[in-house]
């Protein structure tokens, strides 16, 4: 290892604030370009995704999905003695996946790539200056070339009377729970709410209620996505209360024993016109807020948007500077781990080029310019059924006055779907720009559809004509044959017009 922890030096080429995947990625990029790098992290290198979000949540979701597959597969269901999974074993596997919250693996990766790691809370202290505080001591470090900020976001707690005082579970609690509560109320209807509901029910929560004021689950997706997930939840015994605001929350006994543990006695959630739901825990899953406060943006004259994000250009640079870069959730472009890592690759190329005095290539699909966030960011909601989408929904395309044509169909009748599950339920939709004959959006709902998404992402980002996509043959018998049916229907419809 060539890097070190808390090195006694004060100057590097690049200083990175935030050790989550975007910060890790740009640290490696910059070091590999021959630049000296310091990565500053106040908690764990690996960040929210590794320890508190993506990895632990998927570690709990996969066994639930596998169990559901077994229950719906003749020859397997006979071996399933209980509807739910072994919660203790699943939680143990989750802890293994997250290295029991030990960031040694991530730190060692940085050190072995000549990245210095500094423990402490960082804030900007002026142009190219970063102040780091740790255990009452403060030091100031300088970046010769670039400062990169990627502090991420935190779970939002809406101003519902009594909610904050009741010490609700937030995303970190539900991904790192130590015991499975018997009764849970989930406030929210988005991605975190739907994924959490899936594993909570799968791990054995007996009384589970989702409540939120919106008219459907996953409101930013195509309408059928939320509808199919809603139907699956109800079939699994989950109560879903759409169009229902939470008006108050109360808890007589508060005993917050730490992340993932009981936060006290029974909690009462008042909804709608005064109906009360009693539970053991209430989970808040109503979005994220950027960690833009107290990071010193004012010292360099940078203001945030009304929502607390920092605007950047397509090179991830803060306008008006040639040294300050903002990655990941904080720039508000796409609050997804894989997009934050994409931002890091873009910024890494830009920093290396500028440090070497090379001009930035402006040709299409150059490595220095963000192209994916505008219309090509993919996302998977890992509930059961999965929801995989990329690009624009039909409504979003129409709002942009794109002359769209849409084609959609159920997976029913596709041999690969019949093989995947005995009772496969799912639907797919393509949104096509008719003027350019290119795909601008795709949504797939069903078990295992996450594996269909990258093909759609390539088509959207690469602006592949649908006439060319017809020659990309799907293997038989897989659920990817849905592409054949969708594109053939599109062709037949155009021929008849």
């Amino acid at each position: 290892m060539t890097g070190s922890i808390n090195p006694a030096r004060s100057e590097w080429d690049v200083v990175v604030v935030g050790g989550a995947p975007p910060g890790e990625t740009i640290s490696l990029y910059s070091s590999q370009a021959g630049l000296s790098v310091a990565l500053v992290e106040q908690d764990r290198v690996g960040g929210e995704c590794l320890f508190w979000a993506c990895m632990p949540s998927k570690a709990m979701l996969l066994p639930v999905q596998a169990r559901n597959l077994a229950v719906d597969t003749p020859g397997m269901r006979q071996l399933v003695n209980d509807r739910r999974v072994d919660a203790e074993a699943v939680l143990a596997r989750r802890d293994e996946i997250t290295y029991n919250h030990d960031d040694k693996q991530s730190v060692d990766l940085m050190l072995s790539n000549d990245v210095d790691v500094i423990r402490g809370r960082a804030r900007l202290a002026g142009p190219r200056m970063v102040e780091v505080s740790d255990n009452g001591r403060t030091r100031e470090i300088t970046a010769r070339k670039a400062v990169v900020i990627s502090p991420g976001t935190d779970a939002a707690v809406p101003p519902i009377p009594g909610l904050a005082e009741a010490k609700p579970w937030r995303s970190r609690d539900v991904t790192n729970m130590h015991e499975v509560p018997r009764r849970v109320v989930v406030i929210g209807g988005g991605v975190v709410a739907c994924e959490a509901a899936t594993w909570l029910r799968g791990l054995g929560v007996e009384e589970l209620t989702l409540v939120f004021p919106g008219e459907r689950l996953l409101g930013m997706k195509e309408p059928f996505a939320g509808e199919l997930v809603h139907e699956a939840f109800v079939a699994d015994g989950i109560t879903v209360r759409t169009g229902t605001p939470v008006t108050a929350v109360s808890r007589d006994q508060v005993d917050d024993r730490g992340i993932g543990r009981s936060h006290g006695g029974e909690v009462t959630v008042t909804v709608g016109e005064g109906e009360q739901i009693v539970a053991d825990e209430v989970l808040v899953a109503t979005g994220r807020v950027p960690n833009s406060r107290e990071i010193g943006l004012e010292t360099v004259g940078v203001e945030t948007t009304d929502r607390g994000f920092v605007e950047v250009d397509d090179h991830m640079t803060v306008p008006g500077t040639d040294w300050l870069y903002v990655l990941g959730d904080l720039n508000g472009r796409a609050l997804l781990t894989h997009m934050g890592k994409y931002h890091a690759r873009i910024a890494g190329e830009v920093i290396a080029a500028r440090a070497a005095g090379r001009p930035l290539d402006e040709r299409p699909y150059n490595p220095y310019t963000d192209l994916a966030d505008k219309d090509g960011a993919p996302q998977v909601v890992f509930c059961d059924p999965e929801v995989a989408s990329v690009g624009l929904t039909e409504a979003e395309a129409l709002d942009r006055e794109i002359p769209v044509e849409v084609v959609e169909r159920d997976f029913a009748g596709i041999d690969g779907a019949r093989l995947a599950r005995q009772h496969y339920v799912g639907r797919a939709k393509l949104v096509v720009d008719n003027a350019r004959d290119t795909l601008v959006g795709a949504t797939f709902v069903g078990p295992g559809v996450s594996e269909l998404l990258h093909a759609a992402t390539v088509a959207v980002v690469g602006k592949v004509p649908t006439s060319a996509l017809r020659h990309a043959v799907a293997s038989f018998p897989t659920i990817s044959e849905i592409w054949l049916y969708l594109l053939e229907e599109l062709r037949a419809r155009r021929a008849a017009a």
Side-chain angles (χ1 to χ4, degrees), residues 7-247:
R9 59 186 288 189
S10 61
E11 192 170 277
W12 287 263
D13 293 324
V14 180
V15 174
V16 179
V17 176
E24 290 180 301
T25 302
I26 196 164
S27 295
L28 295 174
Y29 254 71
S30 298
S31 179
Q32 290 162 7
L35 302 172
S36 60
V37 184
L39 172 63
V40 186
E41 171 56 50
Q42 64 176 331
D43 190 356
R44 295 168 176 82
V45 177
E48 194 79 12
C49 179
L50 175 56
F51 298 109
W52 310 107
C54 313
M55 296 301 285
S57 66
K58 304 316 171 280
M60 291 187 290
L61 284 163
L62 181 59
V64 174
Q65 293 173 332
R67 183 72 174 190
N68 293 348
L69 171 60
V71 168
D72 200 32
T73 304
M76 289 296 295
R77 70 165 62 101
Q78 291 82 354
L79 303 178
V80 178
N81 299 318
D82 189 284
R83 180 68 176 84
R84 304 302 166 189
V85 301
D86 183 334
E88 183 178 354
V90 171
L91 298 183
R93 171 62 171 158
R94 174 207 60 194
D95 293 342
E96 179 185 338
I97 290 292
T98 59
Y99 303 112
N100 291 293
H101 289 176
D102 184 347
D103 68 351
K104 183 180 185 302
Q105 294 258 6
S106 297
V107 171
D108 286 349
L109 175 64
M110 295 299 107
L111 299 181
S112 65
N113 282 274
D114 205 20
V115 175
D116 292 320
V117 176
I118 300 176
R119 302 285 192 180
R121 178 185 293 273
R123 68 186 305 274
L124 289 167
R128 296 185 175 84
M129 303 296 294
V130 174
E131 186 180 84
V132 182
S133 301
D134 182 44
N135 292 325
R137 296 190 298 268
T138 300
R139 60 189 287 198
E140 198 169 83
I141 60 178
T142 302
R144 287 186 288 263
K145 303 295 183 181
V147 175
V148 183
I149 301 177
S150 181
T153 55
D154 196 9
V157 177
I160 296 171
L163 179 59
E165 293 77 8
K167 297 295 182 183
W169 270 10
R170 301 197 291 174
S171 57
R172 285 193 173 195
D173 294 288
V174 74
T175 58
N176 284 270
M177 60 186 183
H178 295 264
E179 297 177 351
V180 180
R182 189 175 71 83
R183 303 166 298 176
V184 177
V185 173
V186 178
I187 302 176
V191 176
V192 174
C194 290
E195 289 190 349
T198 302
W199 79 69
L200 284 169
R201 183 64 172 156
L203 266 62
V205 171
E206 297 175 15
E207 298 177 19
L208 180 59
T209 303
L210 262 73
V211 57
F212 59 102
E215 292 305 313
R216 67 174 187 268
L217 297 172
L218 303 173
M220 299 299 290
K221 305 295 182 182
E222 294 284 4
F224 71 86
E227 292 166 4
L228 288 177
V229 172
H230 187 150
E231 292 171 6
F233 280 176
V234 172
D236 198 30
I238 300 172
T239 300
V240 181
R241 304 287 298 274
T242 60
T244 307
V246 175
T247 56

Side-chain angles (χ1 to χ4, degrees), residues 298-312:
E298 70 283 355
T299 68
V300 293
V302 174
E303 297 182 353
T304 62
T305 66
D306 292 342
R307 297 178 58 201
F309 297 107
V310 178
E311 293 184 347
V312 296

